[in-house]
């Protein structure tokens, strides 16, 4: 695997992949990081943990995925706690279809991992809801695909950075959401600034022209106390923009996104 991966070598590498292995690479491309347990729920339902471990080890041996040194859940988690990201050869394979730039994986810190794991868990929960016939998952974009650019007041470009953009089909309807996964670490002032940025982006009309509707913004929070902090931050906005926002606990996020009661 060492040396430059030219087109011929990429073709030979692609020929070794099963449909399931390609799907695993596409998941990591979508969410950036996932645990062995999360990949198991997505791609190994009905299979043994041993089989899942063999497949993921094979992808790591071919340097298509990179297993981080950090483990979630402690030693008892075993291989389920291993964390995986897309390695450079895996990115190169997928970039031939997506055109996305290749980035060398780095070892992220604990706060970043905990945040991304929550976003990945949203994706896993929505896929499971789709399997149970509750929704059709029309689209799920995590960062950076979820980012939105719009003209700033000074003539430059401003980037709104939601954690995810989601579209779900529920019966004959399609619901659009922007999701902010709040871990309770940002100050109230930072939350107000985020709400300001969302209001300005909504006012630009770009999202409405591209997709026909501006999405509801779902803030997921770890506690009722933090929920109150978020609601207070949103209340500083003009009253007509309050309807853009909804705040719920992590544990109620999937029910909210799938049309259940929050």
């Amino acid at each position: 695997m060492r040396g430059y991966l030219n087109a011929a070598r990429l073709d030979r590498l692609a020929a070794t992949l099963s449909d399931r292995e390609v799907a695993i690479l596409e998941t990591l491309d979508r969410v950036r990081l996932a645990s062995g347990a999360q990949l198991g729920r997505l791609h190994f339902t009905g299979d043994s943990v041993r089989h899942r471990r063999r497949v993921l080890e094979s992808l790591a041996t071919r340097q298509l995925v990179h297993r981080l040194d950090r483990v979630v859940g402690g030693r008892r988690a075993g291989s389920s706690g291993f964390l995986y990201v897309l390695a450079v050869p895996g990115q190169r394979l997928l970039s031939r279809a997506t055109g996305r730039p290749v980035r060398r994986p780095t070892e992220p810190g604990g706060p970043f991992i905990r945040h991304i794991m929550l976003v990945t868990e949203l994706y896993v929960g929505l896929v499971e809801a789709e399997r149970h016939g509750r929704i059709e998952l029309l689209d799920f974009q995590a960062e950076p695909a979820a980012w939105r650019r719009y003209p700033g007041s000074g003539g430059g470009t401003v980037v709104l950075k939601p954690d995810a953009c989601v579209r779900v089909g529920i019966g004959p309807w399609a619901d659009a959401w922007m999701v902010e996964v709040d871990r309770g670490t940002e100050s109230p002032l930072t939350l107000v600034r985020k709400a300001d940025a969302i209001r300005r982006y909504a006012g630009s009309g770009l999202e409405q022209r591209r997709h026909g509707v501006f999405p509801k913004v779902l803030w997921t929070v770890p506690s009722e106390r933090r929920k109150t902090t978020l609601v207070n931050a949103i209340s500083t906005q003009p009253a007509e923009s309050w309807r853009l926002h909804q705040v719920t606990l992590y544990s109620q996020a999937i029910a909210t996104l799938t049309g259940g009661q929050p």
Side-chain angles (χ1 to χ4, degrees):
M1 193 66 64
R2 293 185 179 181
Y4 180 72
L5 283 171
N6 58 26
R9 294 186 70 187
L10 284 173
D11 287 340
R12 289 195 295 270
L13 188 56
T16 69
L17 293 171
S18 67
D19 290 345
R20 171 155 50 188
E21 288 172 327
V22 171
I24 292 169
L25 299 184
E26 290 174 341
T27 291
L28 292 175
D29 184 51
R30 182 188 299 269
V31 300
R32 294 193 292 172
L33 182 150
S35 69
Q38 289 171 329
L39 292 173
R41 288 160 59 194
L42 289 171
H43 301 291
F44 296 91
T45 54
D47 291 310
S48 67
V49 173
R50 179 177 297 179
H51 179 65
R52 180 190 73 204
R53 185 170 62 246
R54 282 201 304 265
V55 172
L56 294 177
E57 286 177 351
S58 175
L59 287 171
T61 298
R62 284 174 281 171
Q63 298 181 15
L64 293 166
V65 305
H66 173 63
R67 195 175 78 186
L68 302 183
D69 292 335
R70 190 180 297 268
V71 177
V72 296
R75 298 180 65 178
R76 290 185 178 182
S79 63
S80 296
F82 290 144
L83 298 173
Y84 297 88
V85 297
L86 201 58
V88 169
Q91 293 181 55
R92 295 250 343 251
L93 277 176
L94 296 184
S95 70
R96 297 193 297 181
T98 65
R100 281 196 284 272
V102 174
R103 295 180 175 87
R104 185 164 298 279
T106 58
E107 193 77 22
F112 176 86
I113 286 175
R114 288 189 288 273
H115 184 263
I116 297 300
M117 290 286 289
L118 288 170
V119 178
T120 300
E121 187 62 26
L122 277 179
Y123 176 64
V124 175
L126 289 169
V127 170
E128 291 175 331
E130 182 177 48
R131 287 176 182 162
H132 287 94
R134 293 164 55 193
I135 61 163
E136 181 182 1
L137 183 54
L138 302 173
D139 194 23
F140 186 99
Q141 298 176 333
E143 296 185 272
W147 293 354
R148 300 293 193 262
R149 290 169 172 79
Y150 64 100
S153 57
T157 299
V158 180
V159 183
L160 181 68
K161 297 182 178 181
D163 294 314
C165 288
V166 182
R167 289 180 64 245
V168 296
I170 303 175
W173 308 103
D175 290 342
W177 298 86
M178 279 186 182
V179 182
E180 289 283 351
V181 177
D182 176 80
R183 295 189 56 247
T185 57
E186 295 178 317
S187 70
L189 179 59
T190 298
L191 299 177
V192 169
R193 288 171 176 167
K194 281 189 173 184
D196 285 339
I198 291 166
R199 174 172 50 82
R200 288 193 295 269
Y201 179 57
S204 75
L206 288 175
E207 191 79 10
Q208 296 90 319
R209 289 195 291 272
R210 290 169 182 164
H211 303 289
V213 66
F214 193 83
K216 190 88 169 183
V217 182
L218 181 66
W219 302 76
T220 68
V221 296
S223 67
E224 290 290 348
R225 182 176 180 179
R226 185 62 172 180
K227 184 175 180 180
T228 299
T229 300
L230 238 311
V231 170
N232 289 339
I234 292 167
S235 70
T236 65
Q237 299 297 301
E240 62 270 17
S241 70
W242 293 351
R243 60 184 176 82
L244 295 176
H245 303 275
Q246 186 166 341
V247 186
T248 191
L249 299 176
Y250 296 155
S251 59
Q252 298 167 344
I254 294 299
T256 301
L257 291 169
T258 57
Q261 294 298 317

